[in-house]
Amino acid sequence: ASAGTDLVDAYNDFDYIMPWKCRRVNGALDENGDFDVVAIEGEPYFSLDGTNGNVFVERPKFYYKYVFADDYFEVWICTEQLEGYHLPKRFVKSDGTVADVIYKACYKMGLDGSGNPTSVSGKNTMLTYTLGQGLTKARTLSDYYCLETTYDRQIEELLFMVEYATRDTRSVMSGASNLA
């Protein structure tokens, strides 16, 4: 696995296997909190600019297991529920049923021309909201919208640890942490 930058694309085997393999979709939550996909990346009507809805990442369900030994710690990932494996809580719906896929906004929350929250490419995401204000703004779309949750972070961290064989994100993608 390798990480890309703004200037260099990286080839990564994990991009082609479940559950790392995701797809971008246009869609929205309906009045019941179910996600309606309007278009999938690669289809003619898919759009990054909001003309066919907000852009979300579709993540398939997976299970994880922590493995501890005297001198190491591992995370194992599986697409089936085997003995000792757990489902990340983000896949459990509010009614207790399990979702086969989940959807997360692809972009940070921006605002469209009417001041509505949006997840599209090219929108100003430098919003100055408190957590409560941001949540209130997201919920103007529906009571089912929210900001990133700890359950979302759990998924990203589990998959990162397996993909890069480390918990130290800065050792893989340091970003602005190493400026002089």
PDB file of all heavy atoms in Angstrom, residues 116-130:
ATOM      1  N   ASN A 116     -27.908  25.875   1.667  1.00  0.00           N
ATOM      2  CA  ASN A 116     -28.175  24.513   2.128  1.00  0.00           C
ATOM      3  C   ASN A 116     -26.883  23.710   2.162  1.00  0.00           C
ATOM      4  O   ASN A 116     -26.019  23.881   1.298  1.00  0.00           O
ATOM      5  CB  ASN A 116     -29.179  23.824   1.196  1.00  0.00           C
ATOM      6  CG  ASN A 116     -30.518  24.507   1.199  1.00  0.00           C
ATOM      7  OD1 ASN A 116     -31.039  24.867   2.240  1.00  0.00           O
ATOM      8  ND2 ASN A 116     -31.076  24.719   0.017  1.00  0.00           N
ATOM      9  N   PRO A 117     -26.761  22.803   3.133  1.00  0.00           N
ATOM     10  CA  PRO A 117     -25.544  21.988   3.192  1.00  0.00           C
ATOM     11  C   PRO A 117     -25.454  21.044   1.996  1.00  0.00           C
ATOM     12  O   PRO A 117     -26.472  20.584   1.484  1.00  0.00           O
ATOM     13  CB  PRO A 117     -25.697  21.209   4.500  1.00  0.00           C
ATOM     14  CG  PRO A 117     -27.132  21.266   4.842  1.00  0.00           C
ATOM     15  CD  PRO A 117     -27.696  22.482   4.195  1.00  0.00           C
ATOM     16  N   THR A 118     -24.223  20.810   1.555  1.00  0.00           N
ATOM     17  CA  THR A 118     -24.017  19.986   0.379  1.00  0.00           C
ATOM     18  C   THR A 118     -22.689  19.241   0.469  1.00  0.00           C
ATOM     19  O   THR A 118     -21.778  19.673   1.156  1.00  0.00           O
ATOM     20  CB  THR A 118     -24.084  20.863  -0.900  1.00  0.00           C
ATOM     21  OG1 THR A 118     -24.049  20.047  -2.037  1.00  0.00           O
ATOM     22  CG2 THR A 118     -22.984  21.886  -0.931  1.00  0.00           C
ATOM     23  N   SER A 119     -22.608  18.124  -0.219  1.00  0.00           N
ATOM     24  CA  SER A 119     -21.377  17.351  -0.349  1.00  0.00           C
ATOM     25  C   SER A 119     -21.076  17.225  -1.829  1.00  0.00           C
ATOM     26  O   SER A 119     -21.476  16.270  -2.486  1.00  0.00           O
ATOM     27  CB  SER A 119     -21.532  15.957   0.284  1.00  0.00           C
ATOM     28  OG  SER A 119     -20.431  15.137  -0.051  1.00  0.00           O
ATOM     29  N   VAL A 120     -20.433  18.262  -2.376  1.00  0.00           N
ATOM     30  CA  VAL A 120     -20.080  18.278  -3.791  1.00  0.00           C
ATOM     31  C   VAL A 120     -18.684  18.880  -3.948  1.00  0.00           C
ATOM     32  O   VAL A 120     -18.202  19.591  -3.066  1.00  0.00           O
ATOM     33  CB  VAL A 120     -21.101  19.061  -4.651  1.00  0.00           C
ATOM     34  CG1 VAL A 120     -22.478  18.422  -4.579  1.00  0.00           C
ATOM     35  CG2 VAL A 120     -21.163  20.508  -4.240  1.00  0.00           C
ATOM     36  N   SER A 121     -18.081  18.611  -5.070  1.00  0.00           N
ATOM     37  CA  SER A 121     -16.754  19.133  -5.365  1.00  0.00           C
ATOM     38  C   SER A 121     -16.821  20.629  -5.630  1.00  0.00           C
ATOM     39  O   SER A 121     -17.747  21.117  -6.275  1.00  0.00           O
ATOM     40  CB  SER A 121     -16.192  18.412  -6.590  1.00  0.00           C
ATOM     41  OG  SER A 121     -14.936  18.915  -6.924  1.00  0.00           O
ATOM     42  N   GLY A 122     -15.833  21.350  -5.110  1.00  0.00           N
ATOM     43  CA  GLY A 122     -15.698  22.763  -5.443  1.00  0.00           C
ATOM     44  C   GLY A 122     -16.464  23.729  -4.572  1.00  0.00           C
ATOM     45  O   GLY A 122     -16.452  24.929  -4.839  1.00  0.00           O
ATOM     46  N   LYS A 123     -17.119  23.283  -3.530  1.00  0.00           N
ATOM     47  CA  LYS A 123     -17.848  24.195  -2.645  1.00  0.00           C
ATOM     48  C   LYS A 123     -16.951  24.615  -1.492  1.00  0.00           C
ATOM     49  O   LYS A 123     -16.088  23.871  -1.041  1.00  0.00           O
ATOM     50  CB  LYS A 123     -19.115  23.533  -2.070  1.00  0.00           C
ATOM     51  CG  LYS A 123     -20.165  23.249  -3.101  1.00  0.00           C
ATOM     52  CD  LYS A 123     -20.716  24.527  -3.694  1.00  0.00           C
ATOM     53  CE  LYS A 123     -21.765  24.211  -4.752  1.00  0.00           C
ATOM     54  NZ  LYS A 123     -22.225  25.368  -5.450  1.00  0.00           N
ATOM     55  N   ASN A 124     -17.169  25.817  -1.003  1.00  0.00           N
ATOM     56  CA  ASN A 124     -16.409  26.316   0.127  1.00  0.00           C
ATOM     57  C   ASN A 124     -16.737  25.485   1.360  1.00  0.00           C
ATOM     58  O   ASN A 124     -17.885  25.418   1.791  1.00  0.00           O
ATOM     59  CB  ASN A 124     -16.751  27.790   0.380  1.00  0.00           C
ATOM     60  CG  ASN A 124     -16.039  28.341   1.595  1.00  0.00           C
ATOM     61  OD1 ASN A 124     -15.133  27.720   2.143  1.00  0.00           O
ATOM     62  ND2 ASN A 124     -16.446  29.526   2.010  1.00  0.00           N
ATOM     63  N   THR A 125     -15.727  24.821   1.908  1.00  0.00           N
ATOM     64  CA  THR A 125     -15.936  24.005   3.106  1.00  0.00           C
ATOM     65  C   THR A 125     -15.305  24.649   4.334  1.00  0.00           C
ATOM     66  O   THR A 125     -15.257  24.049   5.395  1.00  0.00           O
ATOM     67  CB  THR A 125     -15.336  22.599   2.919  1.00  0.00           C
ATOM     68  OG1 THR A 125     -13.940  22.725   2.668  1.00  0.00           O
ATOM     69  CG2 THR A 125     -16.022  21.856   1.786  1.00  0.00           C
ATOM     70  N   MET A 126     -14.832  25.857   4.207  1.00  0.00           N
ATOM     71  CA  MET A 126     -14.217  26.556   5.333  1.00  0.00           C
ATOM     72  C   MET A 126     -15.300  27.251   6.147  1.00  0.00           C
ATOM     73  O   MET A 126     -15.336  28.463   6.293  1.00  0.00           O
ATOM     74  CB  MET A 126     -13.175  27.565   4.829  1.00  0.00           C
ATOM     75  CG  MET A 126     -12.058  26.925   4.020  1.00  0.00           C
ATOM     76  SD  MET A 126     -11.121  25.701   4.946  1.00  0.00           S
ATOM     77  CE  MET A 126     -10.249  26.752   6.059  1.00  0.00           C
ATOM     78  N   LEU A 127     -16.211  26.454   6.667  1.00  0.00           N
ATOM     79  CA  LEU A 127     -17.329  26.987   7.437  1.00  0.00           C
ATOM     80  C   LEU A 127     -16.921  27.106   8.902  1.00  0.00           C
ATOM     81  O   LEU A 127     -16.235  26.245   9.432  1.00  0.00           O
ATOM     82  CB  LEU A 127     -18.542  26.061   7.305  1.00  0.00           C
ATOM     83  CG  LEU A 127     -18.973  25.759   5.862  1.00  0.00           C
ATOM     84  CD1 LEU A 127     -20.113  24.759   5.858  1.00  0.00           C
ATOM     85  CD2 LEU A 127     -19.378  27.024   5.145  1.00  0.00           C
ATOM     86  N   THR A 128     -17.361  28.163   9.526  1.00  0.00           N
ATOM     87  CA  THR A 128     -17.028  28.364  10.934  1.00  0.00           C
ATOM     88  C   THR A 128     -18.281  28.128  11.779  1.00  0.00           C
ATOM     89  O   THR A 128     -19.017  29.050  12.088  1.00  0.00           O
ATOM     90  CB  THR A 128     -16.478  29.779  11.180  1.00  0.00           C
ATOM     91  OG1 THR A 128     -17.407  30.732  10.662  1.00  0.00           O
ATOM     92  CG2 THR A 128     -15.134  29.964  10.490  1.00  0.00           C
ATOM     93  N   TYR A 129     -18.495  26.857  12.084  1.00  0.00           N
ATOM     94  CA  TYR A 129     -19.630  26.445  12.899  1.00  0.00           C
ATOM     95  C   TYR A 129     -19.121  25.775  14.165  1.00  0.00           C
ATOM     96  O   TYR A 129     -18.096  25.095  14.146  1.00  0.00           O
ATOM     97  CB  TYR A 129     -20.490  25.403  12.174  1.00  0.00           C
ATOM     98  CG  TYR A 129     -21.312  25.901  11.014  1.00  0.00           C
ATOM     99  CD1 TYR A 129     -21.406  25.161   9.847  1.00  0.00           C
ATOM    100  CD2 TYR A 129     -22.013  27.099  11.095  1.00  0.00           C
ATOM    101  CE1 TYR A 129     -22.177  25.592   8.785  1.00  0.00           C
ATOM    102  CE2 TYR A 129     -22.782  27.534  10.037  1.00  0.00           C
ATOM    103  CZ  TYR A 129     -22.862  26.785   8.892  1.00  0.00           C
ATOM    104  OH  TYR A 129     -23.628  27.225   7.850  1.00  0.00           O
ATOM    105  N   THR A 130     -19.889  25.915  15.216  1.00  0.00           N
ATOM    106  CA  THR A 130     -19.656  25.046  16.359  1.00  0.00           C
ATOM    107  C   THR A 130     -20.212  23.678  15.995  1.00  0.00           C
ATOM    108  O   THR A 130     -20.925  23.538  14.991  1.00  0.00           O
ATOM    109  CB  THR A 130     -20.381  25.568  17.615  1.00  0.00           C
ATOM    110  OG1 THR A 130     -21.799  25.489  17.379  1.00  0.00           O
ATOM    111  CG2 THR A 130     -19.968  26.997  17.960  1.00  0.00           C
TER     112      THR A 130
END
